[in-house]
Amino acid sequence: MAKKTSSTKAAGTARQAKIQAAQKASGGGSNKIVVATVVVVVAIVAVVGGVVWSQAKKQASVGTSTAVPAGSSMGKPFRAYADVTPVAGAPTVDLYEDFQCPNCGQFEGILGETIRDLGQSGKIVLNYHVLNFLDKNTGARNSTPAANGAFCAATTGKFQQFHDAVYRNQKTEGEDVDQATLDGWAKVAGITGSALTAWNTCVADGTYDRYIQSVNDAAFKLPGFQGTPTVSINGEMKDLRTVGTVEGFTKAVQDATK
């Protein structure tokens, strides 16, 4: 009897040990599943948080205003001399420029007056695509504030004057544009009185920063677009070696006039 009882107890003990081992194993598995689930959730939260942070950072850099210059829309150019009726068959000239671009300054020095005359006389429909990619390339805060200042000037009817003032007194590539510089361009452009007050508010708010970025992004999606300055006549990009002189540009416009 003693041996039988001892054997029974031993068997019971063995079964209990197996049950405990099974419970322990089962509990460990559950813990692993819980831990793995938590890790996955944390990873998802981290990714989502990173995306949100990235979007917030981009939004902060371009502002939240959805304002666009009169007659334009996001990603589209600004038409100069919109109050001028084009002559019959006048071609559309699209200029892609960045106010920080030294080559744009040189181009403007050579052709600025000719382009203005053609635009004012209605012999061309003149569209400006004002970009800001050089801010990112150089790390300077230059292209965007200059462009925003120009479009703020457009609300006072002084876009062309401000545009020309920027190039006549162009800030060096890679240098920030400060408020004093913007104020100087506004003065040269002839913005005064209540118009200057409105311009200052517009500049301080970065009203057109988002629009400028949209135009920049749209330009770099165009087939064959490489940078500034770029000239397009009736949708055809031109070789600057051909249209980079007064004679060459005038001839290209005449050839495109229907």
Side-chain angles (χ1 to χ4, degrees):
M1 292 290 293
K3 289 181 180 180
K4 186 174 181 180
T5 300
S6 178
S7 175
T8 300
K9 289 181 178 180
T13 301
R15 284 195 300 272
Q16 184 62 32
K18 289 180 179 180
I19 292 172
Q20 291 175 344
Q23 290 175 337
K24 184 177 181 180
S26 176
S30 299
N31 288 339
K32 290 178 181 178
I33 292 173
V34 171
V35 170
T37 301
V38 170
V39 170
V40 171
V41 171
V42 170
I44 292 173
V45 171
V47 170
V48 172
V51 171
V52 171
W53 179 83
S54 178
Q55 291 176 336
K57 183 179 180 182
K58 182 177 181 180
Q59 179 169 292
S61 68
V62 300
T64 58
S65 172
T66 56
V68 298
S72 187
S73 58
M74 286 293 177
K76 302 299 181 182
F78 172 76
R79 181 181 168 186
Y81 310 112
D83 58 338
V84 174
T85 301
V87 302
T92 297
V93 174
D94 287 89
L95 298 182
Y96 296 79
E97 58 184 30
D98 184 315
F99 280 130
Q100 191 178 173
C101 163
N103 289 337
C104 295
Q106 294 174 9
F107 178 89
E108 176 68 20
I110 296 170
L111 283 164
E113 184 176 354
T114 298
I115 292 172
R116 287 191 295 275
D117 288 346
L118 291 170
Q120 287 175 324
S121 63
K123 293 180 180 179
I124 62 172
V125 175
L126 179 58
N127 291 328
Y128 283 104
H129 303 249
V130 186
L131 315 186
N132 66 347
F133 69 97
L134 284 176
D135 277 354
K136 181 177 180 181
N137 288 2
T138 65
R141 181 74 177 167
N142 181 318
S143 309
T144 303
N148 182 62
F151 292 122
C152 290
T155 64
T156 71
K158 298 287 187 178
F159 171 83
Q160 197 67 51
Q161 292 88 333
F162 192 96
H163 169 279
D164 298 346
V166 173
Y167 280 122
R168 282 198 298 270
N169 304 277
Q170 189 178 30
K171 195 77 170 178
T172 302
E173 183 180 17
E175 291 185 4
D176 290 342
V177 167
D178 56 18
Q179 187 60 47
T181 300
L182 289 168
D183 291 343
W185 290 332
K187 182 178 180 179
V188 172
I191 304 173
T192 59
S194 60
L196 181 60
T197 300
W199 179 85
N200 277 320
T201 299
C202 180
V203 167
D205 291 344
T207 300
Y208 295 103
D209 286 5
R210 195 176 188 86
Y211 164 74
I212 296 159
Q213 186 63 51
S214 74
V215 173
N216 184 87
D217 294 345
F220 280 94
K221 291 178 182 178
L222 294 173
F225 183 82
Q226 296 182 335
T228 56
T230 291
V231 177
S232 173
I233 300 180
N234 284 343
E236 180 184 346
M237 291 186 189
K238 299 296 184 179
D239 188 333
L240 288 180
R241 290 172 295 184
T242 301
V243 298
T245 63
V246 172
E247 296 77 11
F249 186 87
T250 303
K251 183 179 186 305
V253 168
Q254 290 173 344
D255 291 345
T257 302
K258 299 176 182 179

